[in-house]
Amino acid sequence: MVGMNSIKKFLKWIFGLLLINFAGLILITLYSAYYSFGTIIFGVHTEAAIKDFWNTEFITAVPFIIGVNLLAISTALFRMYKNKKKKTLS
């Protein structure tokens, strides 16, 4: 049942990665909303605030998703390589 164990590990890893992505996107959305819609108090039109919100959301969310996922994938690949190398040396 080695295959079943590795599938469970992989699914657990994917679920954790999705959870990190979701939490990061929530925080980015809150940040974008605070700084974009907060300016309405000072007389910025709603249309400009919405445009600013989506621009800020896109500019911050895309690099976050790409960076976090690349880091997670590269770390997982490095660990797999390291474990395989350790097994062959043993």
Side-chain angles (χ1 to χ4, degrees), residues 18-82:
L18 287 174
L19 205 59
I20 290 169
N21 285 332
F22 183 70
L25 288 176
I26 293 292
L27 292 174
I28 288 170
T29 301
L30 291 174
Y31 168 82
S32 298
Y34 178 76
Y35 284 105
S36 297
F37 296 122
T39 57
I40 293 175
I41 296 170
F42 301 111
V44 174
H45 292 288
T46 306
E47 183 180 333
I50 291 171
K51 209 181 242 187
D52 186 41
F53 170 76
W54 285 112
N55 287 335
T56 307
E57 186 78 17
F58 182 74
I59 288 171
T60 54
V62 170
F64 171 78
I65 292 296
I66 291 171
V68 166
N69 291 333
L70 278 177
L71 180 66
I73 291 168
S74 62
T75 302
L77 290 175
F78 180 74
R79 285 182 182 166
M80 283 175 41
Y81 172 74
K82 190 175 173 183

Side-chain angles (χ1 to χ4, degrees), residues 8 10 15 21-22 33 35 55 60 67 78 83 85-86 89:
K8 285 183 182 180
F10 179 73
F15 180 71
N21 285 332
F22 183 70
Y35 284 105
N55 287 335
T60 54
F78 180 74
N83 288 338
K85 190 175 180 181
K86 190 185 291 186
L89 292 176

